[in-house]
Amino acid sequence: MKENKGPDHQQWGIKGQALKQQHKAASDTFVIDHQQAPRRDTMVHFTPEEKCIISKQWGQVNIDETGGEALGRLLVVYPWTQRFFDNFGNLSSSSAIMGNPKVKAHGKKVLTSFGDAIKNMDNLKGAFAKLSELHCDKLHVDPENFKLLGNVLVIVLAKYFGKEFTPQVQSAWQKLVAGVATALAHKYH
Amino acid sequence: MSLTKSERTIIMSLWDKVSSQSEAIGTEALERLFLSFPQTKISFPHFDLRPGSAQLRAHGAEVAAALDDAVKNMDNLDSALSSLSDLLAYKLRIDPFNFRLLSHSLQVTLARNLPRDFTAEAQAAWDKFLGRMSDVKTAK
């Protein structure tokens, strides 16, 4: 029986040991049974503390602003991502991007999806199955971009939460954004 | 991909704001790195990496010093970081991917310490700068 090893990097045509390594490292981190020999468990396991941290902070996030800020920063910091938003109008400068109403609207949509993830932390792959198909089949987004957006979101959260965004809190969020990125890539073929 | 004049100004002015507590910044970045990306601890089997440990602080100070050096020598990173590059690439043979993770951890640290200043533009400049530092450190 073929072992489910998670996203097949060869199939994606994505070069780089880096991606494979990060996936392996990330998924290895999620294996909580230390008695067994290390195995690649592709399901993300959140501790009760992590779930609590994330839910609590999520309740304080301004979805309207944070989504737009995260998406805007993605487009500013990684300009190639603008290719997915050709019809968004003026993306010619950092201030144009950050003030663009379509960016803000779409950012809100993306972040609302994250909110769904938080309600389904035990089954991210199931929660994102349809979106995964959409991003692969219709939108043709390289899954690497999901990780970029996830990390940008972490930076935006750090900005808003300041001192409260301790290293422990960050690690819970990193686990979530990595899980979402993996789930979004899961249906790629 | 060299830095533009405005990117350099942004980087220098941001670093200036934290330079008096640069060791704390370096240490916090490492703490975040090791907690969020535990695989990076592999490069430090002989260190006590628990938050607050003397070794973590010492290494944080080294990271801060390297950054300080780089900010002062942005026009000439290759030669400024040459011996560090030798150490990291050839002696310690650190996987280049780890520098991306450190860059991210540093940016999170800067964002939470200077929320008003770490604008989208600042983030873009720092991402580019830290990326360049990684290139220098791993390519010869």
Side-chain angles (χ1 to χ4, degrees):
Chain A
M1 182 156 93
K2 191 177 172 206
E3 182 194 9
N4 176 16
K5 288 187 177 172
D8 185 332
H9 305 280
Q10 293 303 95
Q11 246 183 7
W12 291 345
I14 295 166
K15 290 178 193 162
Q17 277 300 109
L19 178 63
K20 202 166 168 184
Q21 187 180 3
Q22 194 186 19
H23 266 297
K24 181 185 186 307
S27 61
D28 280 345
T29 307
F30 305 147
V31 173
I32 51 174
D33 186 346
H34 300 291
Q35 302 303 317
Q36 289 185 3
R39 60 189 160 87
R40 285 267 303 282
D41 183 342
T42 58
M43 223 185 97
V44 184
H45 298 280
F46 293 91
T47 66
E49 292 77 22
E50 286 166 341
K51 288 185 183 177
C52 185
I53 285 170
I54 290 171
S55 306
K56 185 170 165 234
Q57 280 198 335
W58 186 251
Q60 299 164 35
V61 167
N62 181 332
I63 310 274
D64 285 350
E65 283 187 19
T66 308
E69 172 123 21
L71 185 63
R73 281 177 184 253
L74 181 77
L75 300 174
V76 167
V77 179
Y78 308 108
W80 61 88
T81 57
Q82 293 171 27
R83 66 188 287 256
F84 301 111
F85 303 100
D86 271 338
N87 60 341
F88 268 33
N90 187 4
L91 299 177
S92 60
S93 68
S94 161
S95 51
I97 291 171
M98 300 310 285
N100 185 308
K102 284 189 170 172
V103 170
K104 287 183 179 180
H106 196 71
K108 179 178 171 181
K109 198 169 167 186
V110 168
L111 211 65
T112 304
S113 266
F114 253 93
D116 292 338
I118 289 166
K119 295 191 191 98
N120 292 284
M121 279 164 71
D122 291 326
N123 183 19
L124 292 174
K125 290 206 170 87
F128 282 96
K130 287 234 150 56
L131 271 176
S132 179
E133 284 169 8
L134 175 75
H135 281 80
C136 170
D137 297 332
K138 293 249 158 56
L139 304 176
H140 310 297
V141 177
D142 186 324
E144 183 65 24
N145 292 309
F146 305 144
K147 291 180 182 183
L148 294 180
L149 180 57
N151 280 336
V152 170
L153 178 61
V154 167
I155 287 175
V156 172
L157 292 173
K159 210 183 90 116
Y160 280 116
F161 286 108
K163 256 196 163 72
E164 274 176 58
F165 206 73
T166 62
Q168 289 79 1
V169 165
Q170 180 188 347
S171 85
W173 281 102
Q174 294 289 170
K175 210 163 159 179
L176 178 68
V177 301
V180 169
T182 303
L184 274 171
H186 188 62
K187 291 287 186 179
Y188 273 61
H189 57 89
Chain B
M1 195 179 58
S2 59
L3 299 161
T4 65
K5 193 160 172 227
S6 92
E7 284 167 343
R8 282 175 218 199
T9 309
I10 288 172
I11 291 163
M12 284 194 289
S13 93
L14 206 93
W15 189 246
D16 213 34
K17 294 199 159 99
V18 293
S19 58
S20 59
Q21 26 149 348
S22 65
E23 288 183 12
I25 297 279
T27 305
E28 184 182 330
L30 287 179
E31 222 185 288
R32 289 180 181 279
L33 178 73
F34 296 136
L35 255 173
S36 283
F37 311 106
Q39 69 274 23
T40 55
K41 292 191 286 189
I42 286 242
S43 305
F44 303 89
H46 49 298
F47 269 27
D48 171 8
L49 295 175
R50 286 168 301 174
S53 87
Q55 281 181 317
L56 188 67
R57 276 199 316 261
H59 202 68
E62 282 185 40
V63 169
L67 269 171
D68 207 50
D69 225 4
V71 171
K72 290 194 173 87
N73 293 284
M74 271 190 287
D75 296 332
N76 200 6
L77 280 181
D78 285 19
S79 69
L81 298 178
S82 170
S83 52
L84 179 62
S85 174
D86 281 342
L87 175 70
L88 293 167
Y90 292 106
K91 287 226 170 64
L92 302 175
R93 289 176 287 194
I94 307 288
D95 189 312
F97 192 76
N98 291 320
F99 294 122
R100 259 182 64 180
L101 299 178
L102 178 57
S103 161
H104 172 68
S105 304
L106 266 161
Q107 289 181 56
V108 173
T109 306
L110 290 172
R112 89 108 186 129
N113 279 283
L114 297 170
R116 262 193 252 280
D117 300 285
F118 205 69
T119 60
E121 239 180 322
Q123 183 181 337
W126 272 90
D127 194 74
K128 200 168 163 186
F129 172 53
L130 293 171
R132 278 229 59 221
M133 274 190 80
S134 305
D135 291 341
V136 168
K137 279 185 285 198
T138 56
K140 270 270 166 159

